Amino acid sequence: GENVEQHPSTLSVQEGDSAVIKCTYSDSASNYFPWYKQELGKRPQLIIDIRSNVGEKKDQRIAVTLNKTAKHFSLHITETQPEDSAVYFCAASENLIFGKGTKLSVKP
Amino acid sequence: DVKVTQSSRYLVKRTGEKVFLECVQDMDHENMFWYRQDPGLGLRLIYFSYDVKMKEKGDIPEGYSVSREKKERFSLILESASTNQTSMYLCASNLRGRANTEAFFGQGTRLTVV
């Protein structure tokens, strides 16, 4: 089955800096890669996703890149703000196998 | 407004009890999922279902079973609750094989087994 590794487990940045979270997956048949954000005490919510026929996707300050050959994908957040502080999860495949999460802290 | 609803927010059960966690979605989604969330371990898939009466094991199915008799409802069953099943349980649902496969999560059930 699919296995997803996510790094780093914690990330602390200054407000305005960029943040990058990386994930690798094992199943070359996976073709769907979403990212979810979970704020403290709340349910996870989709922030961006990418399919395997696309190499990069952007939505305002967030972007996701995908390298199918290397089986890794990354979340990029630019101009970070305190409200970006949360746990971020990557996932692979339509069966939604998640990584272990990255706790992002943005310091004002 | 899409909605995934879990029957309980907090639950306390005794060791050995049979426990039912219920999840209902009103979006006519084919896929439904059960995860448990523990600090440092992320969201671990217990079971998922892609259709009525269909189920597939996830990464940690031991000690759990599921039931999906109707499309909108997916139940997680702890046959004999144990203390190591104390956790946050999250249900989710999404469309199968479509362009938009955003998954929507329930609010979670925090289960404590004593």
Side-chain angles (χ1 to χ4, degrees):
Chain A
E2 179 64 274
N3 182 51
V4 179
E5 301 282 341
Q6 182 173 346
H7 299 279
S9 56
T10 60
L11 181 59
S12 182
V13 299
Q14 289 295 132
E15 184 177 358
D17 286 352
S18 294
V20 180
I21 303 170
K22 298 182 179 182
C23 289
T24 61
Y25 62 98
S26 60
D27 187 354
S28 56
S30 290
N31 59 10
Y32 177 63
F33 307 95
W35 287 88
Y36 284 78
K37 176 183 180 182
Q38 186 178 29
E39 297 175 352
L40 191 62
K42 297 189 176 181
R43 65 193 81 184
Q45 290 192 301
L46 180 73
I47 55 171
I48 195 166
D49 58 9
I50 193 168
R51 291 197 173 269
S52 57
N53 57 349
V54 176
E56 183 176 3
K57 184 177 179 180
K58 288 184 180 180
D59 183 3
Q60 299 182 335
R61 295 187 298 107
I62 60 173
V64 57
T65 58
L66 171 65
N67 184 325
K68 280 224 75 177
T69 303
K71 290 192 279 188
H72 67 70
F73 56 112
S74 301
L75 178 72
H76 304 254
I77 305 174
T78 58
E79 301 172 20
T80 54
Q81 301 167 4
E83 52 265 38
D84 293 330
S85 296
V87 178
Y88 292 80
F89 293 98
C90 63
S93 92
E94 293 200 14
N95 293 358
L96 293 182
I97 303 301
F98 283 89
K100 292 184 178 180
T102 297
K103 183 177 181 180
L104 174 64
S105 300
V106 180
K107 300 183 186 302
Chain B
D1 188 25
V2 297
K3 191 173 286 186
V4 179
T5 304
Q6 296 181 226
S7 53
S8 304
R9 192 71 190 264
Y10 299 95
L11 213 51
V12 180
K13 294 292 182 181
R14 295 196 178 277
T15 301
E17 276 194 81
K18 191 169 186 176
V19 181
F20 293 86
L21 302 183
E22 306 285 345
C23 176
V24 177
Q25 51 93 5
D26 63 0
M27 297 165 283
D28 202 34
H29 284 171
E30 294 92 351
N31 291 343
M32 295 189 75
F33 306 82
W34 275 108
Y35 295 91
R36 64 177 283 177
Q37 183 171 23
D38 301 287
L41 297 179
L43 296 161
R44 292 183 291 169
L45 181 64
I46 305 172
Y47 269 97
F48 97 98
S49 169
Y50 54 89
D51 202 350
V52 174
K53 297 190 186 296
M54 306 305 290
K55 61 185 180 184
E56 285 195 15
K57 293 180 180 179
D59 294 329
I60 52 164
E62 297 80 16
Y64 304 94
S65 62
V66 290
S67 173
R68 190 155 180 213
E69 296 296 319
K70 294 185 178 181
K71 190 175 185 180
E72 67 270 19
R73 185 180 297 270
F74 192 33
S75 303
L76 180 69
I77 303 155
L78 286 65
E79 298 291 343
S80 177
S82 64
T83 54
N84 63 11
Q85 293 178 309
T86 291
S87 186
M88 171 67 83
Y89 291 87
L90 286 165
C91 172
S93 72
N94 69 357
L95 290 168
R96 181 166 183 80
R98 313 284 176 86
N100 178 6
T101 51
E102 177 178 0
F104 295 90
F105 284 81
Q107 77 277 27
T109 297
R110 184 163 295 283
L111 172 67
T112 302
V113 182
V114 298

